[in-house]
């Protein structure tokens, strides 16, 4: 008997449906700005929170009693986990999934055993993708859970551990290519420090820069056409992580000559932990030309850590997706639910309820963002505010045709003060709220 045997495939039934296991707003075939809703959102389910996390937290042990957490050989349990995962993906009706190498296959006692375990399960995943039509949005390597990485992976003070990280990333990148993955993600969970007293910060940055260059070199060597993505996060588990936010990542990429090669995978909860909003991080990435993909979740404003809850705020998500649409979309990226049900939500159906709710929120938000784009008043207000920069005189300043002295002398020649103009923030906030009504 399968773990999800009693769950029927999830269908769109509309807002009036009394069925809790049905989409109320996510109609994948609905046309939004000339494309199907599914093509805009490109939903993915993550392997780790749904099929690896046992429900433990710092104050208590496992609460989930999934079959693949019970006794048995590690590889048999990995197969059982894959069976359950793909049944879940297929019944939920998402087009994509994402995984870390250690999510899908167990660590062995030696590097070769770990590699062999991973390759065997990658073959299983390939067979399941073929059978179900599911695709891989992105793969990645877990370079943070094992104790060898307690002082970082690419930023580790020991070059032998740097080499271990290289092995995992090479194998995970090649597995992503084999499975037809559309992106490859690097998250620096341990790439940071706890104290500067034992840290050569500059050297660790150089190590990270060299490591990322090697990843990009290998991407081209093997013919992987997808995007390489960095996922920013300011802290946790490290006190300070080098990929603090999108702007920090961009500065790092420029320093090491990678700004044309690497983009960002932005997570909502990581954005708020860095003191930014989700839409700020998206807009920053769009402006810098490095917007790649999104991890959809939310934090709890009363808690100061990464709670990875499913999104449930339609207006906030609408503003975020509005910025995505303004940036031209996500390309090969998508919306991965890096979110988990609460540790008290122990039923198999709870996994479906969490994702159904998150997908419906994103669908509602996309339709609101479409209204904002089609209405045009938000864009018109921005254009009017910056109209002076679109004139020949404004463009001459930006293009380097005017010097500091030119501008200073022009002000003195006119000898007239300039009155400020209202930013009309309240008007625009009211307008957004009306779109969400």
């Amino acid at each position: 008997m399968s773990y999800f045997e009693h769950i029927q495939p999830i269908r769109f039934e509309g807002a009036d449906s009394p069925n809790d296991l049905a989409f109320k707003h996510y109609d994948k075939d609905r046309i939004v700005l000339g494309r199907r809703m599914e093509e805009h959102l490109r939903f993915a389910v993550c392997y780790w929170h749904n099929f690896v996390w046992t429900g433990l937290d710092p104050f208590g042990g496992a609460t989930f009693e999934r079959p693949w957490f019970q006794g048995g050989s590690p590889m048999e349990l990995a197969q059982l986990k894959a069976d359950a995962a793909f049944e879940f993906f297929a019944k939920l009706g998402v087009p994509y999934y994402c995984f870390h190498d250690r999510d899908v296959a167990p660590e062995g006692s030696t590097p070769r055993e770990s590699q062999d375990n991973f390759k065997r399960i990658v073959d299983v995943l390939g067979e399941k993708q073929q059978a179900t039509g599911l695709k891989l949005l992105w793969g990645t390597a877990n370079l943070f859970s094992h104790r060898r990485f307690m002082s970082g992976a690419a930023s580790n003070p020991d070059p032998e551990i740097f080499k271990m990280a290289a092995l995992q990333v090479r194998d995970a990148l090649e597995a992503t290519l084999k499975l037809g993955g559309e992106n490859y993600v690097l998250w620096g969970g341990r790439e940071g420090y706890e104290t500067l007293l034992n840290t050569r910060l500059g050297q660790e940055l150089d190590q990270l820069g060299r490591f990322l260059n090697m990843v990009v070199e290998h991407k081209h060597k093997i013919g992987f056409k997808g995007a390489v993505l960095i996922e920013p996060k300011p802290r946790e588990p490290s006190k300070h992580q080098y990929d603090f936010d999108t702007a920090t990542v961009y500065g790092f990429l420029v320093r090491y000559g990678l700004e044309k090669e690497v983009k960002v995978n932005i997570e909502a909860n990581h954005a708020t932990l860095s003191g930014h909003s989700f839409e700020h991080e998206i807009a920053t990435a769009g402006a810098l030309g490095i917007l790649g993909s999104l991890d959809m979740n939310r934090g709890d404003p009363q808690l100061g850590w990464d709670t990875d809850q499913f999104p449930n705020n339609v207006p906030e998500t609408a503003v975020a997706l509005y910025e995505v649409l303004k940036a031209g979309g996500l390309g090969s990226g998508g919306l991965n639910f890096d979110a988990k049900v609460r540790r008290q939500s122990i039923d198999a159906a709870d996994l479906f309820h969490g994702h159904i709710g998150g997908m419906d929120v994103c669908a509602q938000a996309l339709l609101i963002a479409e209204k904002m784009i089609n209405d045009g008043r938000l864009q018109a207000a921005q254009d009017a505010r910056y109209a002076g920069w679109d004139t020949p005189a404004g463009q001459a300043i930006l293009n380097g045709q005017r010097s500091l002295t030119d501008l200073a002398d022009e002000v003195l020649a006119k000898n007239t003060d300039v009155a400020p103009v209202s930013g009309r923030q309240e008007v625009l906030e009211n307008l957004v709220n009306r779109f969400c009504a």
Side-chain angles (χ1 to χ4, degrees):
M1 187 175 69
S2 74
Y3 188 61
F4 301 111
E5 182 177 35
H6 300 297
I7 306 293
Q8 298 300 311
I10 309 303
R11 309 295 185 196
F12 170 70
E13 296 184 7
D16 295 329
S17 172
N19 182 7
D20 288 335
L21 287 171
F23 296 120
K24 306 298 191 293
H25 304 281
Y26 177 58
D27 179 0
K28 67 178 182 178
D29 294 318
R30 179 168 177 170
I31 300 301
V32 179
L33 296 174
R35 299 169 61 199
R36 293 170 56 249
M37 182 177 282
E38 183 180 59
E39 295 171 350
H40 277 288
L41 299 174
R42 292 165 60 86
F43 284 131
V45 173
C46 74
Y47 222 94
W48 49 99
H49 286 321
N50 298 291
F51 303 100
V52 179
W53 186 51
T54 62
L56 62 82
D57 68 13
F59 304 100
T63 59
F64 302 146
E65 296 180 341
R66 320 289 195 204
W68 53 94
F69 294 152
Q70 310 309 313
S73 77
M75 288 298 287
E76 289 174 346
L77 294 177
Q79 175 70 60
L80 185 61
K81 181 165 56 176
D83 293 341
F86 274 82
E87 181 185 5
F88 180 80
F89 303 153
K91 286 187 171 181
L92 185 61
V94 292
Y96 293 100
Y97 73 108
C98 302
F99 70 82
H100 298 86
D101 53 354
R102 298 301 185 249
D103 295 336
V104 297
E107 182 108 17
S109 58
T110 66
R112 286 193 180 277
E113 183 181 352
S114 295
Q115 182 187 63
D116 182 61
N117 289 346
F118 183 48
K119 287 183 175 181
R120 288 165 58 191
I121 294 297
V122 166
D123 288 340
V124 171
L125 299 180
E127 293 169 359
K128 290 187 175 295
Q129 287 184 206
Q130 185 69 28
T132 61
L134 265 291
K135 295 175 286 186
L136 179 63
L137 184 65
W138 49 259
T140 187
N142 181 331
L143 303 179
F144 48 88
S145 292
H146 195 282
R147 67 188 298 270
R148 76 172 68 92
F149 297 126
M150 65 183 183
S151 299
S155 63
N156 199 283
D158 186 347
E160 295 303 315
I161 294 178
F162 184 102
K163 294 177 188 177
M164 294 285 283
L167 169 64
Q168 273 191 243
V169 170
R170 186 203 65 177
D171 288 355
L173 180 56
E174 292 182 356
T176 300
L177 173 63
K178 182 176 182 178
L179 293 171
E182 299 187 20
N183 308 272
Y184 184 83
V185 169
L186 296 113
W187 176 59
R190 303 286 182 187
E191 312 294 14
Y193 63 82
E194 300 299 326
T195 174
L196 286 171
L197 297 176
N198 64 5
T199 302
R200 289 184 184 175
L201 190 151
Q203 177 170 325
E204 292 195 358
L205 287 173
D206 286 343
Q207 291 173 209
L208 281 168
R210 182 66 202 121
F211 191 92
L212 188 54
N213 266 285
M214 289 193 294
V215 173
V216 170
E217 290 162 7
H218 194 68
K219 163 193 164 172
H220 292 302
K221 177 181 177 181
I222 65 176
F224 179 64
K225 303 301 183 184
V228 173
L229 309 174
I230 288 180
E231 184 170 322
K233 189 177 184 182
R235 61 183 182 278
E236 192 197 74
S238 298
K239 174 183 175 181
H240 179 95
Q241 289 172 208
Y242 296 129
D243 52 358
F244 186 91
D245 61 5
T246 296
T248 303
V249 169
Y250 183 73
F252 171 84
L253 295 177
V254 170
R255 176 173 180 177
Y256 295 102
L258 293 164
E259 69 273 17
K260 303 297 185 185
E261 295 280 359
V262 179
K263 297 183 178 183
V264 286
N265 180 62
I266 300 170
E267 178 179 310
N269 206 169
H270 294 180
T272 52
L273 284 176
S274 67
H276 303 308
S277 66
F278 192 24
E279 60 266 25
H280 165 85
E281 287 289 272
I282 295 169
T284 299
L288 297 172
I290 58 171
L291 178 60
S293 195
L294 302 180
D295 275 3
M296 300 301 296
N297 59 21
R298 78 179 196 275
D300 189 317
Q302 294 175 308
L303 300 173
W305 61 86
D306 194 1
T307 56
D308 287 322
Q309 295 171 251
F310 284 91
N312 70 350
N313 188 309
V314 174
E316 287 184 359
T317 307
V319 174
L321 293 185
Y322 176 67
E323 292 297 334
V324 170
L325 294 176
K326 285 174 60 180
L330 294 171
S332 65
L335 274 60
N336 170 51
F337 286 107
D338 191 356
K340 58 193 177 193
V341 296
R342 300 301 88 190
R343 68 191 300 266
Q344 305 96 324
S345 300
I346 59 176
D347 294 342
D350 292 325
L351 289 171
F352 283 93
H353 289 301
H355 286 85
I356 290 168
M359 293 167 74
D360 269 343
V361 164
C362 292
Q364 289 178 274
L366 180 66
L367 295 176
I368 292 168
E370 178 190 35
K371 293 179 184 177
M372 293 159 68
I373 292 287
N374 287 336
D375 177 86
R377 279 180 286 176
L378 286 172
Q379 187 61 53
Q382 280 192 10
D383 292 344
R385 192 174 185 216
Y386 291 90
W389 289 101
D390 296 328
T391 65
Q395 289 297 300
I397 297 172
L398 293 176
N399 294 334
Q401 298 169 0
R402 306 294 302 280
S403 71
L404 193 67
T405 296
D406 290 338
L407 301 183
D409 289 345
E410 184 177 316
V411 170
L412 291 175
K414 288 184 177 180
N415 200 31
T416 303
D417 197 4
V418 180
V421 177
S422 173
R424 305 178 70 233
Q425 178 174 334
E426 292 76 15
V427 171
L428 301 178
E429 289 173 341
N430 291 346
L431 179 58
V432 170
N433 284 336
R434 292 185 193 114
F435 285 124
C436 298

